[in-house]
Amino acid sequence: MAESQERIEALSKSNFETWKLQMEAVLIKNDRFKYLSEVAPPPEPKETYGSWKIEDSRTKAHLILCIQPSELKLVKNYLTAKDMWEKLERT
């Protein structure tokens, strides 16, 4: 993941479309995009929620590390990677 992040310009006010396309590619490559789609929603059986939350948190970390610090205020209060992604799309 670190190699891919180095090639992606951090999200800013002016590069969302390019950033989104590249970020989707990185997340797909690293088997993380499913946490932004309906493919891996939070599980119903609470027994499996813990492992899902860990993987979702890793996906959130990938997103956060590819966003300019000045833009992090937009997503700092969101609990899931999917919520963060949707907020960025709306903004």
Side-chain angles (χ1 to χ4, degrees):
M1 180 68 188
E3 291 177 26
S4 297
Q5 283 181 336
E6 291 176 15
R7 291 182 286 195
I8 295 176
E9 183 179 345
L11 175 65
S12 66
K13 291 182 181 187
S14 62
N15 71 343
F16 178 73
E17 291 302 320
T18 303
W19 177 86
K20 179 182 173 187
L21 184 63
Q22 291 179 324
M23 198 69 224
E24 284 178 4
V26 168
L27 293 171
I28 289 167
K29 178 182 170 204
N30 290 286
D31 199 29
R32 296 266 168 233
F33 192 74
K34 61 188 173 189
Y35 293 93
L36 304 181
S37 65
E38 301 303 321
V39 176
E44 284 302 313
K46 296 298 179 189
E47 300 81 42
T48 59
Y49 181 77
S51 63
W52 178 90
K53 184 63 180 161
I54 290 168
E55 295 304 315
D56 184 68
S57 294
R58 288 179 178 153
T59 305
K60 280 177 53 178
H62 288 322
L63 292 172
I64 290 167
L65 292 172
C66 290
I67 298 174
Q68 293 229 351
S70 62
E71 302 302 316
L72 287 174
K73 64 186 175 286
L74 297 171
V75 295
K76 71 178 182 177
N77 295 319
Y78 287 86
L79 299 177
T80 68
K82 184 176 186 331
D83 291 341
M84 287 175 64
W85 188 258
E86 289 174 349
K87 170 61 176 176
L88 292 169
E89 285 184 317
R90 286 190 310 270
T91 305

